[in-house]
Amino acid sequence: MKKIIIAIDGFSSCGKSTMAKALARNIGYLYFDSGAMYRAVALYCMQNGLINDKKIDIETLRNRMKDIHITFEADPETKNSLTYLNGVNVEHEIRSLEVSQIVSQVAALDFVRSEMIDQQRAMGEQKGIVMDGRDIGTTVFPNAEMKVFVTASAEVRAQRRYDELIARGDDAKFQDILDNVLQRDHIDQTREVSPLKQADDAILLDNSDMTREEQMERLMEIFKNLTA
Ligand code: CDP
């Protein structure tokens, strides 16, 4: 069966990663989380004093880009993909609310995006991948054979992210999360470089009222139609 590229884009916290991971596992493809790369750059800024008063020291970050190396490795037990920043496993830290609060500013910088996009394209050379993000079907892989654009209501998305943070033991307030979801949507949709928007040839999936099983059935149907 021919191998294709699958691009899953959409709004924050609508379950893209879980969905993309499960799909990749089902069909034996590799999964790449492009958001984790932007989160790792944001974490680098936090760890290296490049954030003051919620503002990024853009010029220092520009000079440091060559020192930021992001890689993925499979967890030996769960087989889930883990994110490494300069050789250190940062999978847990990059999911914090603190990182979520600055990541969209970092991801709006053109020099950050061009570096990440080069790395993402290199990951897709082999085909047989599922990548999720905001601009995968529009900018990174405009020729991806399968494109899905996922959305759900802001409240449903904030509730999902809240449950996730509480489950991992973080102290979170629903309102803070909802504010963060709305703010990231706004930055992602209005930025100049590669804004979040549905590609003309992407299939829209609103999963507000869908179970994970229903969602997977729909994805498998789309996948089978394209690769049959
Ligand atoms: O998991 P969630 O959908 O909340 O976010 P994520 O996929 O981890 O991405 C974190 C942030 O990185 C997003 O809010 C975007 O600002 C940015 N991002 C982007 O600009 N382009 C991508 N391809 C992926 C993420």
Side-chain angles (χ1 to χ4, degrees):
M1 199 191 284
K2 74 167 179 175
K3 295 238 174 186
I4 64 169
I5 290 186
I6 303 178
I8 302 200
D9 289 303
F11 290 93
S12 72
S13 317
C14 57
K16 291 186 304 291
S17 311
T18 313
M19 171 201 289
K21 237 179 260 171
L23 175 64
R25 204 177 308 123
N26 265 0
I27 61 180
Y29 276 27
L30 288 174
Y31 163 68
F32 292 102
D33 177 354
S34 70
M37 300 171 77
Y38 294 100
R39 286 176 177 273
V41 177
L43 181 68
Y44 177 92
C45 292
M46 282 168 54
Q47 291 176 337
N48 291 275
L50 304 190
I51 311 281
N52 293 303
D53 252 356
K54 298 204 171 155
K55 293 230 153 47
I56 308 158
D57 177 348
I58 295 175
E59 283 323 305
T60 308
L61 178 58
R62 191 193 301 275
N63 294 327
R64 299 272 189 90
M65 279 314 287
K66 57 180 183 326
D67 303 330
I68 304 180
H69 302 288
I70 300 161
T71 46
F72 293 106
E73 277 180 37
D75 182 320
E77 276 168 30
T78 62
K79 303 283 176 250
N80 282 340
S81 156
L82 302 173
T83 312
Y84 282 72
L85 170 61
N86 292 338
V88 178
N89 179 348
V90 291
E91 189 56 37
H92 188 79
E93 289 92 321
I94 59 170
R95 311 287 166 192
S96 70
L97 185 57
E98 289 72 29
V99 169
S100 296
Q101 278 162 342
I102 59 155
V103 62
S104 296
Q105 284 184 62
V106 172
L109 298 170
D110 56 352
F111 61 88
V112 173
R113 297 206 77 80
S114 58
E115 178 60 34
M116 295 303 117
I117 290 171
D118 284 351
Q119 293 190 24
Q120 289 154 6
R121 287 193 177 138
M123 292 165 181
E125 258 161 30
Q126 62 211 323
K127 297 255 180 179
I129 68 154
V130 181
M131 190 176 286
D132 77 327
R134 299 291 186 284
D135 60 342
I136 310 305
T138 50
T139 303
V140 181
F141 298 120
N143 297 326
E145 291 85 347
M146 172 167 162
K147 297 182 187 178
V148 180
F149 191 84
V150 198
T151 189
S153 74
E155 284 70 21
V156 166
R157 292 187 281 131
Q159 186 65 47
R160 287 177 185 160
R161 182 49 57 98
Y162 175 80
D163 294 345
E164 208 174 276
L165 288 173
I166 295 295
R168 63 180 233 153
D170 283 10
D171 182 20
K173 287 202 193 67
F174 178 78
Q175 191 59 44
D176 291 347
I177 314 257
L178 180 59
D179 291 346
N180 177 250
V181 160
L182 293 171
Q183 189 199 17
R184 282 200 286 148
D185 285 355
H186 177 73
I187 301 178
D188 292 348
Q189 286 176 292
T190 55
R191 69 175 174 230
E192 260 169 52
V193 241
S194 283
L196 168 66
K197 70 174 176 49
Q198 184 179 348
D200 294 338
D201 51 351
I203 294 170
L204 180 68
L205 187 84
D206 182 333
N207 67 10
S208 306
D209 301 312
M210 268 182 164
T211 63
R212 285 191 186 179
E213 290 71 29
E214 286 166 347
Q215 185 169 275
M216 184 51 65
E217 254 174 49
R218 177 82 184 101
L219 289 174
M220 288 305 293
E221 185 187 33
I222 302 168
F223 175 75
K224 282 184 185 145
N225 280 340
L226 283 167
T227 51

